Amino acid sequence: MTQLTQSVRLEFDGDVALIHIDNPPVNALSHHVRQGLLDGMTQAESSDASAIVVICDGRTFIAGADITEFSGPPKPPSLQAAQDAMENCSKPVIAAVHGTALGGGLEVALCAHYRVGVSSSKYGLPEVKLGLLPGAGGTQRLPRITGAARALEMMTSGEPITAEEALECGLINEIVEDLQAGAIAFARRAVAEKMPLLRIRDRNDKLADTPPSMFDEFRAGIARKTRGFLAPEYNVRCVEAAVNLDFDAGLQREQELFRDLMKGTQSKAQQYYFFAERAALKIPGLPKDTKAADVGRCGVLGAGTMGGGIAMNFANVGIPVTIVERDEDALERGLAVVRSNYERTAARGGISSDDVETRMGLISGSVDMGDFAECDLIIEAVFENMDLKKSIFEQLDQICQPGAILASNTSALDINEIASATSRPDAVIGMHFFSPANVMKMLEVVRGDETSDIAIATAMGIGRTIGKTPVLCGVCHGFVGNRMLFMRGIEAEKMILEGAAPSRVDQILFDFGLPMGPFAMSDLAGLDIGWDEATSSGSTVRELLCESGRRGQKNGSGYYTYDPTTRAATPDPEVEQIIQGFAERQGIPQRDISDQEILERCLYPMVNEGAKILSEGIAIRGSDVDVVWINGYGWPMYTGGPMFWADTVGLSDVADRIKHYASTLGGEHWSISPLIEQLVAEGGSLSTYTN
Ligand code: 3HC
Ligand code: NAI
C-alpha cells in the first residue's frame, strides 16, 4: 500500500491496482484528491498491474468538486489532468461506485473505460442546483453515453438516476453485489476478454439521431419551472454543443459557459444557499448527544387547510397519524380532502393507487382528543385564536403521555403563552408549516423560553424525516417569515392607495422572481382570513373587498377577478374604484410611482425587519432568514434570499434608501435596524451574520 496524499492510497490485489479515495464526509474532489488520483494513475500505469479500479471509502463515491474551494484561487492539479490520465490509460480503468457519483464525481467516472456500481448507487450532475454546469467534461460525455434527451433531463433537473436506470441507459456496465470484489472481477474479465478501452469522448452513436427541434421543445417544457435561473439554459446550450460540435470544440464551449456562470452572482447565491440549508440544521448550544423522542405515532388536531396537509406528511413516510376534529362532519370533510389530494397525485402518476390506500390507512380519524394518549408528537392546527389554543393545550396536557411533544402550528401567536396553559412548558414547541403543508418544504420550529433540547431535537429531526427544511427560531409575532411578510404588506397596501394598481405591484415582484405578489397571494389565501362580517367597518381596502363579496380565489373574485374554468386572474375596474374611493376619503394624493420605488418599498422593509429579527436573536443566523424565505415563500434562490440579496445590492446603499423612506414616509417599519448600521460601519454582511 502506498499513501499518495492525505486522502488517496494505492493498493494492489494481485494484478489489479486499486486507487482508494478517502476524503470524508463525501469524498469531494479537494486538491489532494485530484493530486492523489493523478499520482495513483501514473504509478498504476507504470506498475505491473494489468487493470486499475478507482474506488472510494466511506459512505459514497466522489460527490463532486469541493465546493469550499470555489471561493479561492484554483489549486493544482486540475481535475482534467487526472481525468486525462484515466481516459488515456493503456490499461482498463474501472470506476466502482457506491452511494452517489455526483457532479465532478460522475465526471471522473465517465473518464473510466467501464463503470460498475452497487444496486443502491445513484448517478447525477447536480451542478445546476449550484447555478453551474458540469464543467469537467460532463456536459460532453454524458450525452454521448445516455443520448441527448436523458442528459438534458439530468443536467437541468440536477436529479440523480438509480443504478437500474443507469444500467438501462448504458451509463454503467454492471450492477455488482460486493463493490470491491465485483469491480476487481470486472477488471480481470476486461483483461481476459481484451475488452476495448472505451473512451466516451470518441462515441457519437447516441447523438446521431438527435432531432434539432428537441432543444427548443425542451426549453419550452422547463420554462416555467426554471424562470429566472441562468444555469438550466446554459446546460441546454452545452448539450446542443455536444450534438453539433466535435468533442474538443464542445469542451471549449463548456469551459466558456462554465466560466460565465462561475463569475455571476447566481452561482454564488446558489452555492451560498447549499451551505445555508445545511447550517440551519446546526443548533448552537444543543448538545450533540441530545436524543430526539421517537415518533412512532403522530397526532394532528384539526383537519382543516393545514391539519390535513400536515397529516399527509407523516403518512407519506409511513408514520401513523391520529387526526382529531371537533365533529364528525368536519372530520369527514377533512379526510375527504386528504383522499382527493392523494388521488390527484395518483392520477398524475406521482404515486400508485395502492399508495393512496396505504397512506389513507395510516391516517385514523377521531372526534375524541383522548385518542392522542398514544401519540409521541401532537401538532395542533385549529383556528388562530389564543383562547382556543390555550384551552386545547390545557386538555392536551391532561391527555398526552409523559415525554410527548406538544406542538402548535400557529402562524404568529406567542408560543410561551400557549405553553403557559400546560404543566409542561418544556414539551411545548411551535412547528409552523406553510401552506399547502404537504407541498411546501419550509418548517419554522419555534422555541419557547422553556422549550427543552429534546423537544427541539425532535421537531428538527422529524422535520427532516418528513422531507421539510426546518429552521429554528424564537418567539415573536409572526416568527421570521410572516413577521417580514407583514412589513411588505404595510407598504404594498400604502402604494395601492397612492395610485399603484395591485396588478402592477404584483407584476414587479413576479418579475423580481417571486411566484406571486402580495395581492395575488392574499387572494389565494382568502381575503376573509381573520375577517368578521359583524365587526367589519370598511376601515381597509381588504375589509371593503370582503364587504362587497370579494373573498379571493375561492369565490372567484378578490383583488382580481378569476376565470371560473382557467382560474386566470384579471384586474377588475370595480376593485380600482373601491381603492380610489377609499384613498379619496382618506385624502391620499395620487401620483406616479416608479417600478424601482415599488420594488424598494416592498423589499427593503423586509430586509430591515430581517435585520431586526437577527439582532433580537429570533433567528440564529442571517442565512437562516434566507432559508425561510426561499422555502416558505418562493423567494428566488438565484438571489440567495433577502439577506444575501441586500448584501449583493450593497448594504450601505440599502441603508441609505431605508433612511430615505424613513424620512419621507415614516413608520416604525422604516426605522433603520441598528444592526444594519453597525454592519455598514464595519463592512460586515447580513448573510454571514451569526448570533
Ligand atoms: N463540497 C464540499 N462539501 C460538501 C460537498 C461538496 N461537493 N458535498 C457535501 N459537502 C459537505 C456538506 O456541506 C456537509 O458538511 P457539514 O457536515 O459540515 O454540514 C457534509 O458534506 C455532508 O453533506 P450532507 O449533509 O449533504 O450529507 P448527505 O449524506 O445528506 O448528502 C450528498 C450527501 C448527496 C453528497 C450531498 O451532500 C450533496 O448533494 N452534495 C453536493 C453534491 C454536488 O452538488 N456536487 C456537485 C459539485 S459541483 C461540481 O462537481 C463541479 C464540477 O462539475 C466541476
Ligand atoms: P382551518 O379553518 O382551515 O382549519 C381549522 C380546523 O380546526 C377546522 O377544520 C376546525 O373544525 C378545527 N377545529 C377548530 N376547533 C377545534 C377543536 N376544538 N377541536 C378539533 N378541531 C377543531 O384553519 P387553517 O388554515 O388550517 O389554520 C389552522 C392553524 O394553522 C391556524 O393556527 C393558522 O394560523 C395556522 N396556519 C395557517 C396557514 C394557512 O395558510 N392557512 C399557514 C400556516 C399556519
Side-chain angles (χ1 to χ4, degrees), residues 491 494-495 591 593-602 604-605 653-667 669-671:
E491 282 304 306
K494 278 168 69 178
M495 285 190 284
R591 67 186 180 91
I593 306 182
S594 71
D595 289 359
Q596 182 64 18
E597 179 175 339
I598 291 176
L599 194 67
E600 290 181 355
R601 285 177 64 183
C602 283
Y604 288 171
D653 290 349
V654 173
D656 288 346
R657 296 306 289 162
I658 292 175
K659 286 192 238 173
H660 162 78
Y661 289 120
S663 64
T664 52
L665 303 168
H669 60 294
W670 282 120
S671 78

Side-chain angles (χ1 to χ4, degrees), residues 326-633:
R326 53 183 169 165
D327 57 47
E328 293 288 352
D329 280 356
L331 180 64
E332 207 176 300
R333 256 197 323 272
L335 291 177
V337 172
V338 170
R339 173 172 283 281
S340 88
N341 280 339
Y342 278 139
E343 282 173 351
R344 227 185 0 253
T345 310
R348 282 201 309 260
I351 55 175
S352 70
S353 45
D354 282 353
D355 291 336
V356 175
E357 296 315 319
T358 310
R359 292 176 196 199
M360 284 308 293
L362 284 167
I363 302 178
S364 23
S366 164
V367 290
D368 177 5
M369 277 177 65
D371 288 342
F372 285 147
E374 307 283 291
C375 297
D376 307 295
L377 163 71
I378 297 91
I379 304 173
E380 164 278 312
V382 302
F383 306 131
E384 186 80 336
N385 175 306
M386 180 55 91
D387 291 340
L388 174 63
K389 293 206 191 262
K390 280 171 85 171
S391 103
I392 298 274
F393 273 75
E394 208 180 317
Q395 294 170 63
L396 289 176
D397 192 22
Q398 304 298 315
I399 295 163
C400 299
Q401 56 185 333
I405 310 293
L406 313 182
S408 172
N409 181 49
T410 175
S411 20
L413 298 177
D414 185 340
I415 297 293
N416 290 322
E417 193 177 340
I418 296 175
S420 72
T422 71
S423 66
R424 40 174 145 173
D426 56 320
V428 178
I429 195 162
M431 286 181 74
H432 179 216
F433 292 80
F434 286 59
S435 181
N438 54 318
V439 177
M440 297 297 287
K441 283 189 72 191
M442 190 57 223
L443 174 66
E444 279 179 331
V445 174
V446 189
R447 149 172 48 192
D449 292 344
E450 298 191 48
T451 304
S452 68
D453 287 349
I454 294 178
I456 293 173
T458 307
M460 296 291 291
I462 197 77
R464 292 277 286 160
T465 306
I466 60 174
K468 301 295 175 196
T469 306
V471 171
L472 184 67
C473 60
V475 174
C476 66
H477 185 67
F479 317 126
V480 173
N482 282 341
R483 178 167 157 186
M484 289 164 70
L485 183 74
F486 297 150
M487 301 308 138
R488 183 182 82 176
I490 297 174
E491 282 304 306
E493 190 74 20
K494 278 168 69 178
M495 285 190 284
I496 61 172
L497 293 175
E498 291 166 28
S503 56
R504 183 146 161 258
V505 175
D506 280 353
Q507 186 65 48
I508 286 167
L509 288 179
F510 180 80
D511 292 344
F512 176 75
L514 282 152
M516 64 185 88
F519 301 104
M521 195 174 175
S522 298
D523 274 0
L524 186 65
L527 294 184
D528 54 356
I529 289 186
W531 176 72
D532 184 349
E533 192 159 11
T535 55
S536 187
S537 59
S539 65
T540 60
V541 170
R542 198 174 168 133
E543 277 195 347
L544 288 166
L545 291 173
C546 285
E547 286 166 25
S548 67
R550 307 185 74 101
R551 305 281 160 85
Q553 264 202 38
K554 62 183 164 196
N555 81 339
S557 64
Y559 284 100
Y560 299 86
T561 296
Y562 295 87
D563 184 291
T565 36
T566 64
R567 288 203 184 169
T570 5
D572 189 330
E574 184 189 321
V575 175
E576 263 168 54
Q577 277 167 17
I578 291 176
I579 296 171
Q580 274 169 14
F582 185 73
E584 243 174 72
R585 290 195 294 284
Q586 301 276 313
I588 300 168
Q590 302 295 289
R591 67 186 180 91
D592 271 344
I593 306 182
S594 71
D595 289 359
Q596 182 64 18
E597 179 175 339
I598 291 176
L599 194 67
E600 290 181 355
R601 285 177 64 183
C602 283
L603 302 188
Y604 288 171
M606 292 174 53
V607 172
N608 200 28
E609 202 63 23
K612 291 177 188 176
I613 284 169
L614 272 177
S615 60
E616 289 167 25
I618 298 291
I620 296 171
R621 29 180 115 64
S623 59
D624 287 1
V625 175
D626 287 335
V627 173
V628 169
W629 264 83
I630 286 173
N631 290 287
Y633 306 84

Side-chain angles (χ1 to χ4, degrees), residues 100-117:
T100 42
L102 297 179
L106 180 55
E107 296 176 275
V108 164
L110 290 174
C111 290
H113 304 121
Y114 295 97
R115 285 151 294 282
V116 300

